[in-house]
Structure formats: structure tokens, C-alpha cells
Amino acid sequence: MQIITGKTKLLGVIGDPIEHSLSPVMHNAAIKALGVDYVYIPLGIKTEDLERAIATLGGLNLEGFNVTIPHKQRIMQFLDEVSPLAKRVGATNTVWRNQQGWSGTNTDVAGFLAPLKELERNWSEIKPLVLGYGGAARAVVEGLSGLGCQGIRVVGRNLEKLALFQKEWSQVEVYQWSDLPELISASELLVNTTPIGMYPQVQESPLDDDLVKSIQPGAIVYDLIYTPRPSKLLIQSQKQGAETIDGLEMLINQGAIALEIWLQQPVPVEVMRQALLNYLQI
Ligand code: NAP
């Protein structure tokens, strides 16, 4: 058992609700494996308390923290320094101390890209199709642009929100859900950033069986959902001969990159992966 003393350094995650966060599981497993004197704790902070909480955290011996729903956007105004990447995405999920106060960045982008970078593809020739235009989609579009993908297409159900998304991300083309039949057959990379199919709605999929038939064998289907694993979309896509990626690798890698920032040393990604797999019993 880890012994926490007065010298133990604190890390954590802020969000609301925080009860279901998987971050303490993987971070504390890595901390234990590294033998460093840290502990990572969940901190439930309500939206209306965020500003006060950040000021208070500054006065505690907290070395850094992750930020999850619903604070990823709003926290940026309370930080002393925000990385250009986090500004482009419009969301910060990792915060650490600087000399003045707090610095923040976004590790979701690199976490999303980690499993794609394992694949041999000519990314500049791939036109990705992204389902959804919410917070995660912003990290995905930033990541895909950085990877060199051209002609990123974003699909959503609300015309107004689609128009807003495109105004901010001029490099994307936006489409409605009804355009999917033509789009899917031409897509070598499909990314689901909607929560459709997430536990407990495990029987749902963003694509019905007819649409799934348009997925080309060898296409990559990446679902950001990690519960269940695989999601219905990934089961459907596997039957079509697609290469599938679930959201667990993104979760692990965004966490590993954050821990590297705090500890300033390489971290055991495999330990973090195994801790999550054991905890989720998958
Ligand atoms: P979000 O900001 O609420 O965005 C959700 C998006 O899905 C919105 O564009 C929403 O469109 C769309 N959507 C929801 N229900 C829909 C439906 N029935 N039909 C069509 N579109 C629908 O949420 P988020 O933070 O981006 O998270 C989205 C998903 O990604 C969640 O499942 C989350 O767990 C997952 N995620 C995973 C990781 C990871 O590390 N693996 C990281 C971040 C997020 P409207 O606005 O029109 O409703």
C-alpha cells in the first residue's frame, strides 16, 4: 500500500460529476510503478464554484491537475498561461504550476492521435469523416489537421451549430446526417465523436445497418467511446472488414502525456493501460 505522508505531492482531476472518472485509477497505478511520492485525487467542483476553487487550489500544495467535463472550456479564463494548442482547440485538460500561477494545455489531441500514428497510412491522401461537432470533435479536427489530412468533413444534425463550427474551423467542410450515404463510401477514416452507443445505450450506433454496409474494407473506424469496448459501431465496422480503434487508447495516452508534464519523466503507459483494463474488467 502507498504511504501518504506530509511530503507527498498532490495531483488530481477536477470535474462535475467526478465519481466516474477513470483518471485516478491509471494515474495512481503509474505513480506506484514509478515509486514517486505523489498521489492523484478526484476533486468534485461545481461550475458555479470553479473560479473560487482555482484560486484556492493555487494556495494548496497541488502540483497539477486534469480538467474534465464541464470545466475544459471555462477554466481557460482562470489560468495565467494557456498553450497555443489549447487556445486553438478551445479546451484545456491539463494544468500545472508556473512561477506566476497555473499553465494549461490540451493533451486530448495527442492522445487521440497516438493510436493513429501506429498505423502506416498516407494521411495527406485521407479525407476523414467526423461525426459530431462537440468538444471532442474540436480536439479530433485539430489532431487530424496536424496529421496532414486534407478535406476533413464534419457531420452533424443541427445546421446552426454546423455553421458555427465551420466558421471557427475554416479547413473543414460540414454536412448533415442525411448526406452520410455518399460520404461514408468515400471515407477511409471515420471518427465518431458523438456519445451514441455509450453505456448504458449499448444497443445504439450512429450508423444503421444500411449505412454501415457503405464502409469500405480496410477503412479505419475510430470510436471515441470506451464503454462498452467495443461499441456497437465498432462491432458493425469489424464485420465490414474495417480496422477499428476504440476510445481507451485516447484516454490512456492523454493521461500519460499529462503525467509526463507533471513528473518531467517518462511514464509507464502499459501500467496505466493494464490498470484501466483490470478496473473495467475487460
Ligand atoms: P459534447 O461536447 O456534448 O458533443 C457531443 C456531440 O454529439 C455533439 O455534436 C452532439 O450534437 C452530438 N450528438 C449527441 N447525440 C446525438 C445524436 N443522437 N445524433 C446526432 N448527434 C448527436 O461531448 P464530447 O465531450 O465531445 O464527448 C463526446 C463523446 O466522446 C462522449 O462519448 C465522450 O465519452 C467521448 N470522449 C472520449 C474521450 C476519450 O478519451 N476516449 C475524450 C473525450 C470525449 P448536438 O449538439 O446537436 O446534440
Side-chain angles (χ1 to χ4, degrees), residues 53-247:
I54 299 305
T56 307
L57 291 178
L60 296 178
N61 58 338
L62 191 73
E63 301 273 310
F65 55 95
N66 282 130
V67 186
T68 188
I69 288 172
H71 305 316
K72 284 187 185 185
Q73 287 83 30
R74 211 167 141 255
I75 188 151
M76 295 175 36
Q77 61 188 293
F78 306 127
L79 302 177
D80 304 277
E81 186 187 58
V82 175
S83 72
L85 171 73
K87 283 185 187 156
R88 281 200 302 278
V89 177
T92 289
N93 75 327
T94 301
V95 175
W96 66 94
R97 275 189 192 276
N98 63 29
Q99 295 204 321
Q100 293 80 43
W102 296 116
S103 293
T105 193
N106 184 303
T107 68
D108 281 334
V109 176
F112 163 72
L113 287 178
L116 288 178
K117 286 186 168 170
E118 300 283 308
L119 305 175
E120 295 268 322
R121 292 287 198 286
N122 191 351
W123 298 109
S124 62
E125 287 178 7
I126 286 184
K127 284 188 176 175
L129 185 60
V130 179
L131 307 181
Y133 40 47
R138 302 170 67 89
V140 166
V141 168
E142 173 67 25
L144 293 173
S145 302
L147 204 55
C149 294
Q150 309 286 328
I152 301 168
R153 285 139 334 147
V154 171
V155 182
R157 57 179 171 177
N158 180 303
L159 278 178
E160 233 168 273
K161 289 186 185 175
L162 274 177
L164 276 177
F165 193 91
Q166 200 191 15
K167 206 169 159 196
E168 217 179 322
W169 300 85
S170 54
Q171 73 269 44
V172 308
E173 297 167 19
V174 296
Y175 293 91
Q176 286 179 267
W177 222 253
S178 52
D179 297 318
L180 275 177
E182 297 84 66
L183 294 172
I184 290 179
S185 53
S187 290
E188 288 161 73
L189 170 60
L190 174 85
V191 185
N192 176 39
T193 76
T194 78
I196 307 170
M198 192 165 78
Y199 180 84
Q201 270 79 43
V202 298
Q203 290 311 321
E204 291 182 10
S205 165
L207 305 185
D208 64 31
D209 285 338
D210 275 348
L211 275 176
V212 166
K213 286 187 189 129
S214 305
I215 294 175
Q216 299 301 306
I220 304 164
V221 179
Y222 191 157
D223 196 341
L224 263 47
I225 289 172
Y226 48 83
T227 47
R229 190 171 180 258
S231 62
K232 181 169 178 198
L233 171 65
L234 294 191
I235 295 169
Q236 290 168 306
S237 306
Q238 279 160 4
K239 287 184 187 150
Q240 285 299 119
E243 193 155 343
T244 57
I245 305 171
D246 65 61

